[in-house]
Structure formats: structure tokens, C-alpha cells
């Protein structure tokens, strides 16, 4: 409420959670990446991070076939849906799926071009 546009700083969400809530829930993290990013970076910063992440993941398949583009949207969409209920940016293994798809998509198209 105090810093809606600038946030409290990346990685400082723990300062916002009351000690009583930490004891009750047994966690120190907000398990919604969108709430966490908005609290830490503000609305503008969270928007830039999410748009940048989407463009980074989707940009790797933009010039590939329609199937690759559709599958990229599915994989990235599921990644962002998972971010609604759990930490996906601070846990590295969550990025493996979209990253592996971004790197591996279009390999068959590249092999066809090499022939």
C-alpha cells in the first residue's frame, strides 16, 4: 500500500510478512509471483519483468513454424499459470521447461535447412 509504483525492492518481500503469519503458515514467501513482483518492484517494475520474460521466451520461436509458435504459447502460458500459485522466478528448476523448449524448438527446421 505504501509503495505501489516503486515497490520495496527486489527480494525484500519478507520484510512485509508479519512474524505471526510466518509462524502460522510455515513459509516466508508469497506463493503468487505476481503479488510478490508487485510488492517488490511495484506495478511498473513487475510489468517490465513479466513482459520481458514473455518476450525472451517467445522470441526464440517467433520465426519458426506455426506448430512451434502454438506450442511455445502453450508452454509459456502454463509457466505463467503456474506462477499464479507458486514461486517460479526464484526457483531455477521451474525455468527448465520453457528454457528447454526455447532452445530445442525449431531444431527439425534447422536440420531441413542444412540439407
Amino acid at each position: 500500500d505504501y509503495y505501489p509504483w516503486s515497490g520495496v525492492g527486489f527480494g525484500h518481500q519478507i520484510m512485509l510478512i508479519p512474524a505471526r503469519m510466518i509462524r502460522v503458515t510455515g513459509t516466508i514467501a508469497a506463493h503468487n509471483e505476481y503479488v510478490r513482483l508487485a510488492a517488490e518492484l511495484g506495478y511498473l517494475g513487475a510489468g517490465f519483468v513479466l513482459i520481458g520474460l514473455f518476450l525472451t521466451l517467445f522470441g526464440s520461436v517467433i520465426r519458426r513454424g506455426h506448430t512451434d509458435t502454438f506450442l511455445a504459447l502453450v508452454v509459456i502460458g502454463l509457466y505463467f499459470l503456474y506462477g499464479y500459485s507458486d514461486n517460479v522466478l526464484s526457483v531455477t528448476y521451474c525455468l527448465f521447461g520453457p528454457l528447454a523448449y526455447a532452445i530445442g524448438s525449431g531444431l527439425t527446421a534447422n536440420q531441413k535447412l542444412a540439407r
Side-chain angles (χ1 to χ4, degrees):
D1 287 344
Y2 295 118
Y3 309 103
W5 295 104
S6 62
V8 295
F10 199 57
H12 288 90
Q13 69 159 342
I14 190 167
M15 298 175 78
L16 303 175
I17 301 173
R20 176 184 55 84
M21 185 63 69
I22 293 172
R23 283 192 302 273
V24 170
T25 61
T27 184
I28 59 171
H31 282 67
N32 182 327
E33 282 294 357
Y34 309 115
V35 170
R36 184 179 74 86
L37 282 176
E40 292 180 350
L41 302 177
Y43 298 135
L44 291 176
F48 282 127
V49 167
L50 293 174
I51 290 170
L53 181 62
F54 177 81
L55 291 176
T56 300
L57 295 174
F58 188 70
S60 65
V61 295
I62 198 78
R63 293 187 175 198
R64 309 242 168 89
H66 296 295
T67 304
D68 281 335
T69 304
F70 175 73
L71 290 175
L73 287 175
V74 169
V75 169
I76 295 168
L78 289 173
Y79 174 79
F80 281 109
L81 181 64
Y82 186 44
Y84 186 72
S85 65
D86 206 355
N87 301 331
V88 295
L89 294 175
S90 58
V91 182
T92 56
Y93 61 80
C94 290
L95 276 171
F96 287 162
L99 182 62
Y101 184 81
I103 291 171
S105 67
L107 288 178
T108 56
N110 289 339
Q111 288 174 352
K112 290 177 187 176
L113 290 174
R115 291 180 189 172

